[in-house]
Amino acid sequence: MKDRKALSIPSRGMSKLNPFPGLLADSLEARGWRVDDNEPAKYLRTAYDAVIIHWPDHFSTTHSHPVAWARTAMFFGLLSFLKLRGARIVRIVHDVDELHRHRRLLRRINRALSAALTDQYVFLSASSREAFARKFPALASPYHQTLFHPHFRAHGDGPAVAATPARGALRFVGDIREYKGLDRFLALYAARRVATPLEIVGHCDDPAYAAAIQAQVDAARAAGCRVDWDDRRPGHDELDVIIAQAAAIVLPYTVCWNSGMAVKVLEHGTALLCADLPLFREIGERVGPWITCYRPDGSDLARQVDRVMNYRVLKEDAARLSHFLDGLSWDSFAAEFEGALA
């Protein structure tokens, strides 16, 4: 078999933030690929068949502004060098648009260079592909792939084993970022005086947004709602337990084109309360009552919270969810993904 080589940017090293690149690399290696991390000692002397990029805007939105300019230049210089040596540039579209709103000029340059160098896009939901085609019609192509976001179990692993659930509260868990809409959700929670307890387990790195969340938590408590904020970042194993022991997990995102968190929650047999976004409606078409969406104005929030908290799993519902998850293996994802690398 021909020695097939790919470079992954970012590498397995970011697995603490998002395990997707590492799990994909492992699955491709199981199919005979050699997948290198983003290390200059390797890529400067290696001719790659493909380069897989995940979040190109990361190079323009992190670190200080001067460092971001330098990192952006180095990143696209590297892609150009590898492409001249014969590599195919494949971008997995995790986010149709950047989740940051600063450094507009640098982000605009990043988008233009990324579009110019990318040979193939891979989308993780039909709704993200449709949104991308609307936003960037010149880049839309029927040849781009759509492969639904796989689960987060490693290659060959069995189903995640949930702890015996206490199932007492509705929970928000994970990093607190503005696009996830927790501040808006808390405002709706207080306005509707929802009686169900809400537990938040997560940390916010943005001091201004963290202060806004604390203000909304205080306002919700003043309105008579029971809200607890455990301000910390749980590890992966603890995250699994927190999800498994919840009655339901809330994803109040303002924008979302794919959600590994939604898949992770469903793996544990925990129901989801979600903002009414195309992606969640798309998943809901596959899993049925495991996902409950509430209206943007929150007019039905109390009723939908009550619905998700009192959801009783029927045998056919469990079978439907199992069938959905069985189709999200990394083996099948990598097998189809190889088409983008050819």
Side-chain angles (χ1 to χ4, degrees):
M1 179 184 293
K2 179 179 178 292
D3 182 23
R4 301 174 297 177
K5 299 180 287 296
L7 174 65
S8 177
I9 304 175
S11 66
R12 292 175 176 86
M14 75 159 295
S15 62
K16 290 182 179 180
L17 297 176
N18 193 311
F20 192 108
L23 289 170
L24 175 58
D26 291 346
S27 298
L28 287 172
E29 287 183 338
R31 298 186 59 81
W33 285 80
R34 168 185 153 188
V35 183
D36 287 341
D37 290 341
N38 186 21
E39 299 176 14
K42 292 180 180 178
Y43 62 63
L44 291 177
R45 66 171 185 261
T46 304
Y48 290 98
D49 298 285
V51 177
I52 306 166
I53 58 176
H54 293 268
W55 296 278
D57 63 297
H58 175 77
F59 293 89
S60 301
T61 57
T62 56
H63 299 281
S64 68
H65 205 170
V67 171
W69 275 97
R71 281 164 52 85
T72 301
M74 292 175 63
F75 173 60
F76 287 107
L78 165 65
L79 289 186
S80 300
F81 169 73
L82 294 174
K83 189 166 184 174
L84 285 172
R85 297 194 68 188
R88 182 174 176 80
I89 309 299
V90 178
R91 178 185 169 186
I92 300 179
V93 183
H94 294 269
D95 305 303
V96 173
D97 197 7
E98 301 93 340
L99 300 177
H100 303 274
R101 291 293 177 262
H102 62 305
R103 301 175 181 173
R104 292 183 179 180
L105 175 60
L106 183 55
R107 287 189 290 107
R108 190 179 304 122
I109 293 171
N110 187 309
R111 284 198 303 270
L113 292 173
S114 179
L117 291 172
T118 298
D119 296 299
Q120 177 91 22
Y121 293 94
V122 175
F123 299 93
L124 300 179
S125 69
S127 54
S128 71
R129 179 171 183 157
E130 292 165 2
F132 186 88
R134 289 193 299 270
K135 191 170 184 66
F136 308 109
L139 301 179
S141 166
Y143 302 107
H144 297 321
Q145 283 187 308
T146 302
L147 305 173
F148 202 83
H149 196 303
H151 54 57
F152 278 127
R153 297 196 296 269
H155 174 75
D157 283 357
V161 179
T164 302
R167 300 231 180 253
L170 176 66
R171 287 176 175 162
F172 175 100
V173 61
D175 286 348
I176 300 173
R177 298 176 182 172
E178 192 168 354
Y179 79 89
K180 294 185 179 182
L182 180 58
D183 58 330
R184 299 186 187 185
F185 183 76
L186 285 166
L188 294 175
Y189 216 72
R192 301 295 168 180
R193 299 184 184 276
V194 178
T196 300
L198 174 65
E199 296 178 359
I200 303 166
V201 184
H203 178 71
C204 180
D205 289 325
D206 180 347
Y209 191 59
I213 294 297
Q214 186 60 63
Q216 292 291 352
V217 168
D218 293 341
R221 289 170 177 167
C225 300
R226 288 175 290 171
V227 180
D228 178 69
W229 181 11
D230 188 358
D231 186 1
R232 62 189 176 84
R233 182 173 283 123
H236 287 313
D237 292 341
E238 185 185 5
L239 185 67
D240 286 332
V241 174
I242 291 169
I243 291 170
Q245 292 185 343
I249 298 293
V250 59
L251 301 182
Y253 297 175
T254 58
V255 292
C256 190
W257 297 284
N258 73 84
S259 179
M261 177 60 80
V263 175
K264 186 179 187 67
V265 171
L266 292 173
E267 281 188 273
H268 288 287
T270 300
L272 280 162
L273 177 68
C274 301
D276 190 15
L277 296 176
L279 173 69
F280 297 132
R281 293 196 297 270
E282 180 181 344
I283 302 175
E285 290 174 358
R286 304 189 186 195
V287 302
W290 291 94
I291 286 188
T292 298
C293 294
Y294 61 89
R295 295 172 187 160
D297 63 0
S299 57
D300 63 343
L301 183 59
R303 174 164 51 85
Q304 297 297 66
V305 168
D306 185 67
R307 177 184 176 186
V308 75
M309 295 296 291
N310 293 291
Y311 170 52
R312 294 293 177 264
V313 181
L314 301 177
K315 184 177 181 180
E316 54 266 33
D317 295 338
R320 187 173 181 178
L321 178 60
S322 179
H323 177 74
F324 171 72
L325 293 172
D326 286 346
L328 302 183
S329 73
W330 278 100
D331 290 336
S332 60
F333 185 91
E336 294 189 66
F337 184 76
E338 280 185 304
L341 305 180

